[in-house]
Amino acid sequence: MQGAGSLRMRYHIDTIPVWDALKHGAGCPLCALRRKTERRLVERALGASVMSPDSRIKVNRTGFCRTHQQMLYNAPGGNRLGHALMMLSHLQETRSRLPRLLDTGAPGGKLAGLFRKGKDASGGPRSPADSAGCVLCEELDEQSRRHAASFLHLWKTDAAFQAAYQQSVGVCLPDAQALLLLAPDFLSAREQAGFRGLLESQLAAALQALESDLSRFTQKSDYRNTELPWGDAKDALERTVNHLRGWCLGKEPLKDER
Ligand SMILES: [Zn+2]
Ligand SMILES: [Zn+2]
């Protein structure tokens, strides 16, 4: 564990967004914040960043992953010209590096993921297109690290945050794992043990409730169960996926927050 001041600087601690996400979000606050950040990054990539020399250099070299290409393409009030201008210079740089790219596998210089040993963070093998690197993924990872660090800083220093978090549904499984990996930088061994205990009991309770809701959801597809009340089961599939894998389905979290 390091001094609080140096950690604050190293991680660029910013507690307000984490507090806001906890207050306003219905599910995992870190997922809600990640998604909100992702939407903002896409907006920025199509806006000011198109003309910013620094971000153009990065985009020219690295480009965007498939998921973020889709988000750029489908962005509300889209900017096809901005997207096309970025892709034009990325295409030109890719052409100039073609022989090297064929030898090294991907614009990021990494070997094509499908044939690389090891797995990605989500546990599945990466496809070659995913391993190509993405400026938005890189920025999003950096911001997510900052959110997790700010969460742990709040947990250690703010009793009101601890109390509010304990009343909430808690973080999803991947974010719980990420927080525990980062926890030694912020919490003493005793604090880590307490924090881990809370995460485990919160997750155990959340997964048990999801199991019952998802089971009800499947029962409702049987015509003999039309009289069975839905209870909380209507969005059980989305909530189960989001809690096990991180938010990716259903209503956009923090959509109306700016
Ligand atoms: Zn999450
Ligand atoms: Zn990406």
Side-chain angles (χ1 to χ4, degrees), residues 15-16 19 22-23 150-166:
T15 55
I16 293 168
W19 247 126
L22 183 63
K23 279 184 201 150
S150 303
F151 181 106
L152 287 165
H153 174 79
L154 273 169
W155 178 263
K156 188 178 177 72
T157 58
D158 188 338
F161 179 81
Q162 269 204 22
Y165 180 70
Q166 289 183 35

Side-chain angles (χ1 to χ4, degrees), residues 41-173:
L41 290 174
V42 166
E43 218 173 90
R44 200 178 68 188
L46 288 170
S49 298
V50 177
M51 292 304 158
S52 139
D54 276 1
S55 45
R56 281 304 282 273
I57 289 168
K58 280 192 218 154
V59 169
N60 293 350
R61 190 155 191 90
T62 312
F64 303 105
C65 70
R66 288 182 292 189
T67 302
H68 287 134
Q69 295 282 6
Q70 288 167 339
M71 283 185 77
L72 290 163
Y73 189 76
N74 296 322
N79 177 0
R80 286 284 150 82
L81 174 61
H83 194 177
L85 285 171
M86 289 189 286
M87 291 316 294
L88 178 59
S89 37
H90 177 55
L91 169 67
Q92 286 162 341
E93 179 148 344
T94 304
R95 282 188 63 208
S96 74
R97 297 164 64 215
L98 186 58
R100 238 195 84 219
L101 291 173
L102 280 175
D103 294 335
T104 57
K110 300 170 192 161
L111 280 176
L114 198 54
F115 309 104
R116 200 189 321 144
K117 290 203 171 73
K119 303 205 165 178
D120 73 0
S122 67
R126 286 173 184 261
S127 71
D130 284 341
S131 73
C134 169
V135 288
L136 293 183
C137 283
E138 284 170 15
E139 176 78 9
L140 193 56
D141 286 350
E142 182 57 39
Q143 297 277 344
S144 296
R145 212 167 78 101
R146 181 195 286 198
H147 298 152
S150 303
F151 181 106
L152 287 165
H153 174 79
L154 273 169
W155 178 263
K156 188 178 177 72
T157 58
D158 188 338
F161 179 81
Q162 269 204 22
Y165 180 70
Q166 289 183 35
Q167 297 299 313
S168 77
V169 65
V171 294
C172 67
L173 179 59

Side-chain angles (χ1 to χ4, degrees), residues 28-32 34 170-176 242-243 245-247:
C28 168
L30 292 173
C31 278
R34 184 180 298 115
V171 294
C172 67
L173 179 59
D175 276 315
N242 293 344
H243 222 74
R245 278 286 162 153
W247 183 88

